[in-house]
Amino acid sequence: MEHINIHARRYSIEAFEKAQQIIPGGVNSPVRALKSIGTTPLFVDRSDGARIYDIDGNSYIDLCMSWGVFMLGHNRDEVNRRVIAAVEKGSSYGIPTLSETELAEMVRAAFPSMQRLRFVNSGTEATMSAIRVARGFTGRDLLVKFEGCYHGHADHLLVCAGSAVANISTASSAGVPLDFTKHTVCLPYNDLEALERFFRAEGEHVAALIIEPVACNMGVVVPDSDFLSAVRRLTSEYGALLIFDEVITGFRLSYGGAQQRFGIEPDLTTVGKIVGGGYPAAAFGGREDIMSVLAPVGPVYQAGTLSGNPVAMAAGIATLRQLAVSGFYERLEARCDAFFSRLEQIVAGHDVQLNRCGSMYTLFFNPQPVRNFADAQNSSKKRFACYFQRMLERGVYVSPSQFEGNFISACHDDDMLEYVLRAVSESIE
């Protein structure tokens, strides 16, 4: 691939100025504003495969992939055909359709721990609902989460959270009463001693422990070899439910997500992003006896007008069919391994840490290894901002935060990845 020439983003700047007159901050999700990067967002016109195209006519190799949504790539024909067929029948009914059951069966086949599951519209809804189910099932209130893990923007979860919240100086969001967070306990990720000490003291009061089995919202941070097994052991011992938040890792680290990759079976699971094939969809589910507390069978209420939307279900079905093809993940991981091997050589000696798992990675601008949120926060946001802008100038769009992951998908071919490596080498000098 030849060097990509990026033209001035005049129209994107004008579009951002206009958007700020009607949308708070000009964006509908804070990280899109690129405020921590010190620049303004590009406005996308279209996408195809591994590329996005802005309204100024610039083309970028995309390593954000809508925050990990697109395993197959943007704008895929096999997904679009099924979506169009669904739209032609109708976009929403608020009444059951066969596609809901079809996609649910596919999810359960991939995640056997999800014996019963329900669709919602976002990862936030999924985690919020799973926690409510856990509290209803156990009759307990206390929730345990980990510093730097982001589980959506429900009030009781905005405690020591990652993602864009990592850039907020307060421990939680303004507008969240302390009474909403007093039942949420935050522990350091990968700190087995702190975890065991807490459960010895308070374990019998814990309704659930929720964890990103591979942290993706403080940047990619991989669990220590014995950490997830200890989490499973302690929750079982004290009668608490283990919730795996696989909104990002589900169908990303393997067809069966992180729980298949690491061999740990949670009580409840949330999946999102990939499961909707680019449309708003997520799911939560778990053991049959636990999910039986959910209305209309049990006393725990949850609902949604657009939950199980037929268009989103169609996109999810088409996507999972492609991912289930034999050898898909093996081929992707082999390509990623080759890419990461080269990337590791490029960043060596630059006070840059490469954290990776499967097809996800983060470059931390940090002289020390990153194992938890405190380590991640010691990374240089200023150096990352410079790196981001240099990569953008070279036609590569990386996830626009030091505290987010990047994603390689089936659409990133060898030539593209070779170009990315060259761009990284130039950008970190």
Side-chain angles (χ1 to χ4, degrees), residues 102-116:
E102 182 178 357
L103 183 56
E105 288 175 335
M106 296 175 78
V107 173
R108 184 170 64 178
F111 292 80
S113 68
M114 298 176 75
Q115 296 173 354
R116 295 288 185 272

Side-chain angles (χ1 to χ4, degrees), residues 123-155:
T124 292
E125 282 187 66
T127 56
M128 178 182 70
S129 302
I131 291 165
R132 184 180 298 164
V133 165
R135 284 173 165 153
F137 180 79
T138 62
R140 303 173 180 179
D141 294 330
L142 207 57
L143 174 72
V144 177
K145 70 177 294 289
F146 292 96
E147 294 172 357
C149 287
Y150 176 76
H151 305 291
H153 61 86
D155 285 347

Side-chain angles (χ1 to χ4, degrees), residues 15-16 18-29 32-33 41 43:
F16 186 51
K18 182 178 181 180
Q20 290 177 90
Q21 303 307 308
I22 191 167
I23 300 172
V27 293
N28 286 302
S29 189
R32 299 178 191 175
F43 275 61

Side-chain angles (χ1 to χ4, degrees), residues 297-372:
V297 180
V300 175
Y301 190 74
Q302 180 275 330
T305 298
L306 293 175
S307 295
N309 176 268
V311 179
M313 297 297 98
I317 291 166
T319 297
L320 297 197
R321 283 181 177 173
Q322 296 296 312
L323 300 183
V325 172
S326 178
F328 176 90
Y329 287 90
E330 290 79 6
R331 290 190 295 272
L332 176 60
E333 192 127 344
R335 183 175 296 167
C336 291
D337 286 344
F339 172 77
F340 292 136
S341 177
R342 295 272 307 283
L343 184 57
E344 197 164 41
Q345 295 172 13
I346 289 171
V347 302
H350 288 279
D351 285 344
V352 177
Q353 307 296 322
L354 168 61
N355 277 27
R356 54 164 292 196
C357 187
S359 56
M360 314 184 304
Y361 77 97
T362 298
L363 291 181
F364 288 102
F365 288 81
N366 192 325
Q368 302 297 325
V370 176
R371 294 180 54 253
N372 53 43

Side-chain angles (χ1 to χ4, degrees), residues 368-387:
Q368 302 297 325
V370 176
R371 294 180 54 253
N372 53 43
F373 192 40
D375 293 340
Q377 288 191 305
N378 285 331
S379 303
S380 171
K381 290 186 285 186
K382 181 178 180 181
R383 289 179 64 200
F384 174 82
C386 182
Y387 163 77

